Amino acid sequence: MLEESRYYFSKAADTLELSDRIRQILLTPMRVVKVELVTEADDGSLLHHLGFRVQHNRARGPMKGGLRYHPTVDEDHAVALASLMTWKTAVVDIPYGGAKGGINCDPAQMSQSELDGVTRSFVGQIKDVIGPTVDIPAPDVNTNAEIMGWIMDEYSKYEGFSPAVVTGKPLHLFGSPGRAGATGRGVMVSLAETLKTLGRSFDGLTVAIQGFGNVGSHAALLIAERGAKIVAVADHLGGVANPAGLDVPALAAWATQHRTVKGFAGGDEFVNTDIIGWDCDVLIPAALEEAITEDNVDDVRASIIVEGANGPTTPVADEVLHKRGVTIVPDILANAGGVTVSYFEWVQNIQQFRWELERINSELDKIMCKAFAAVSATATQFNVDMRTAAFVLAIQRVGRAALARVHLRNKINLPPGFFTMTDPGAVSD
Ligand code: NAD
């Protein structure tokens, strides 16, 4: 994952002709925190875990990014995902830097009280380096609104009432309307904008989705509402397909009850790995990293890929798809709806004022469309694909902010025109 995120960064850095020193500065995390967590299990024995928080860059504002609870969480993984958050928040132009972290635990093997204990121990260890104006965690894989509520509670014990220290909280505990569906909504808007550029519409469009969790299920519901057919969906246990289009609300109800799409009666079952090569117009990877690789890229039949997951396409696969003319909306643009509504939640917490869902959705749509247009304009300006363009745009925004904070402008070997390049999304005075 670290290698892949660096590869995409380097491709954009080459386009911008950045010096090695600037690359090194932009790639190195600002702070890496690793803590030991010793807590008590329900049976009185000791649990031992490691917690990580990587704060990548704060040039554009407080750092923002999720917390993942998974046995594979480690420093490299967190570094890669933290840097993606820096670029993602810059692409949608919200006033944040990037961070990521988590605990190397397996929540499936833990009770709620053990999870609560580990979470509170972690907050105690990192409380001095997070905060509403410093670093604001959020949910990621295997963490949820309930855990965010515990983080707010524990942090507030030390620092006083602080709802803005974390986002993705429960609605009844200073969470935001629209947060749960925000990433899926952003995926839908990204697809809508892509279709416009291709002169196509949702009508009759066939869509296959890998992953039917938060991102995949909301994207499926919203895309189906607009007239497309969700012809296949796969999760970690299996897949279900219907060439006439799945009944997505019924599938969502089934998946909520059974925690899988497997067994849903409204379609035929298939082996979940077949989803990547499904015969469809649009493929939405919305599960885990490295879903499309050199091993299965030749199977891909979709002409549009919208990356709901983080890092679903490896560089080799990306290159192959690009050569074949497949349109890819990259993760740091396509799945930025979640962090955008997290930003709205933080704003509401600071304002102590709640926005209506209509306002959230309309502001989200505006930000997603503006970011899509800025990335498209950058792609045209530099004659590069959408992924490289998204990184180019983000690197320029972060680099400019970082350099505008210090008096180094003439001492750094920046490519000519770095400060004069037009930012397609810039606000004019
Ligand atoms: P989730 O845990 O709610 O859902 C994950 C889904 O992926 C589940 O349906 C699971 O069964 C499925 N899955 C896991 N392994 C699979 C496999 N091998 N084959 C097929 N399906 C598999 O997670 P989520 O919040 O929906 O996140 C999904 C992805 O989107 C992750 O990469 C995450 O980092 C990214 N993302 C999430 C958000 C958000 O707001 N939730 C925001 C940005 C990016």
Side-chain angles (χ1 to χ4, degrees):
M1 186 68 205
L2 187 57
E3 214 174 288
E4 287 156 13
S5 63
R6 289 198 169 155
Y7 172 85
Y8 292 131
F9 169 88
S10 301
K11 224 173 139 185
D14 290 346
T15 305
L16 286 168
E17 296 174 33
L18 295 186
S19 68
D20 288 347
R21 177 51 53 87
I22 296 289
R23 289 172 199 234
Q24 185 188 27
I25 291 169
L26 287 173
L27 276 176
T28 308
M30 195 265 311
R31 185 191 277 140
V32 177
V33 180
K34 177 178 174 182
V35 294
E36 184 182 41
L37 308 172
V38 182
T39 53
E40 195 181 342
D42 291 345
D43 65 5
S45 63
L46 290 180
L47 295 173
H48 182 259
H49 296 104
L50 294 175
F52 299 88
R53 188 67 182 168
V54 173
Q55 300 176 329
H56 176 251
N57 189 293
R58 59 180 172 183
R60 302 183 71 260
M63 292 160 290
K64 189 89 189 82
L67 286 178
R68 186 174 289 201
Y69 286 5
H70 197 274
T72 59
V73 166
D74 64 15
E75 189 176 315
D76 276 2
H77 203 251
V79 167
L81 290 169
S83 70
L84 283 185
M85 287 308 298
T86 298
W87 314 129
K88 192 182 298 185
T89 52
V91 164
V92 282
D93 205 8
I94 55 178
Y96 285 140
K100 204 83 177 193
I103 300 174
N104 68 348
C105 64
D106 183 0
Q109 307 299 322
M110 296 167 75
S111 69
Q112 286 296 95
S113 65
E114 287 170 345
L115 267 182
D116 182 286
V118 169
T119 301
R120 288 180 192 276
S121 168
F122 187 46
V123 175
Q125 299 266 34
I126 63 167
K127 66 176 172 41
D128 294 335
V129 295
I130 62 168
T133 60
V134 184
D135 176 3
I136 305 125
D140 192 68
V141 175
N142 289 338
T143 54
N144 54 22
E146 193 177 11
I147 294 176
M148 299 306 116
W150 300 340
I151 293 175
M152 175 198 139
D153 181 64
E154 191 64 16
Y155 183 84
S156 296
K157 284 181 192 164
Y158 296 104
E159 302 294 336
F161 177 67
S162 310
V165 68
V166 66
T167 59
K169 299 178 293 293
L171 207 47
H172 48 272
L173 192 72
F174 307 98
S176 176
R179 175 62 186 90
T183 308
R185 187 174 181 90
V187 167
M188 178 276 291
V189 174
S190 299
L191 176 56
E193 293 305 292
T194 305
L195 293 173
K196 270 191 223 161
T197 64
L198 298 172
R200 299 177 67 175
S201 80
F202 278 109
D203 259 349
L205 195 77
T206 55
V207 181
I209 304 183
Q210 183 196 40
F212 202 66
N214 175 289
V215 180
S217 65
H218 284 101
L221 284 161
L222 291 164
I223 289 167
E225 271 173 19
R226 276 151 187 81
K229 284 192 281 192
I230 310 297
V231 290
V233 167
D235 68 15
H236 67 296
L237 292 180
V240 57
N242 187 335
L246 291 157
D247 177 344
V248 182
L251 178 61
W254 172 273
T256 304
Q257 198 185 343
H258 299 87
R259 303 175 76 90
T260 176
V261 298
K262 199 174 165 165
F264 178 63
D268 300 323
E269 240 177 79
F270 64 91
V271 181
N272 60 1
T273 44
D274 288 351
I275 193 79
I276 300 299
W278 209 262
D279 187 8
C280 58
D281 299 311
V282 181
L283 174 64
I284 301 180
L288 298 178
E289 295 91 356
E290 297 176 21
I292 309 173
T293 66
E294 58 188 317
D295 296 332
N296 62 14
V297 66
D298 291 332
D299 302 338
V300 172
R301 284 192 271 178
S303 58
I304 301 171
I305 294 176
V306 185
E307 295 184 340
N310 284 315
T313 314
T314 64
V316 174
D318 189 65
E319 206 62 46
V320 173
L321 293 167
H322 184 53
K323 281 199 184 117
R324 274 178 35 198
V326 175
T327 302
I328 304 179
V329 189
D331 49 6
I332 58 171
L333 170 61
N335 71 30
V339 71
T340 301
V341 175
S342 271
Y343 162 55
F344 298 158
E345 179 176 332
W346 179 74
V347 169
Q348 292 171 79
N349 292 159
I350 289 167
Q351 292 179 332
Q352 290 295 308
F353 185 81
R354 179 158 285 189
W355 298 3
E356 302 284 334
L357 178 62
E358 292 70 29
R359 178 172 179 195
I360 303 270
N361 284 342
S362 120
E363 298 280 354
L364 171 61
D365 293 358
K366 252 192 271 174
I367 285 183
M368 289 303 301
C369 291
K370 199 172 165 201
F372 190 95
V375 172
S376 300
T378 306
T380 307
Q381 187 186 346
F382 289 90
N383 192 24
V384 292
D385 58 277
M386 288 286 276
R387 190 189 309 281
T388 308
F391 274 85
V392 163
L393 182 66
I395 290 169
Q396 286 183 85
R397 286 177 174 172
V398 172
R400 285 172 176 178
L403 290 165
R405 284 168 171 257
V406 293
H407 300 288
L408 289 173
R409 195 179 286 200
N410 298 321
K411 297 181 193 156
I412 293 180
N413 186 21
L414 278 173
F418 192 81
F419 283 100
T420 51
M421 276 187 254
T422 36
D423 181 338
V427 183
S428 51
D429 294 335

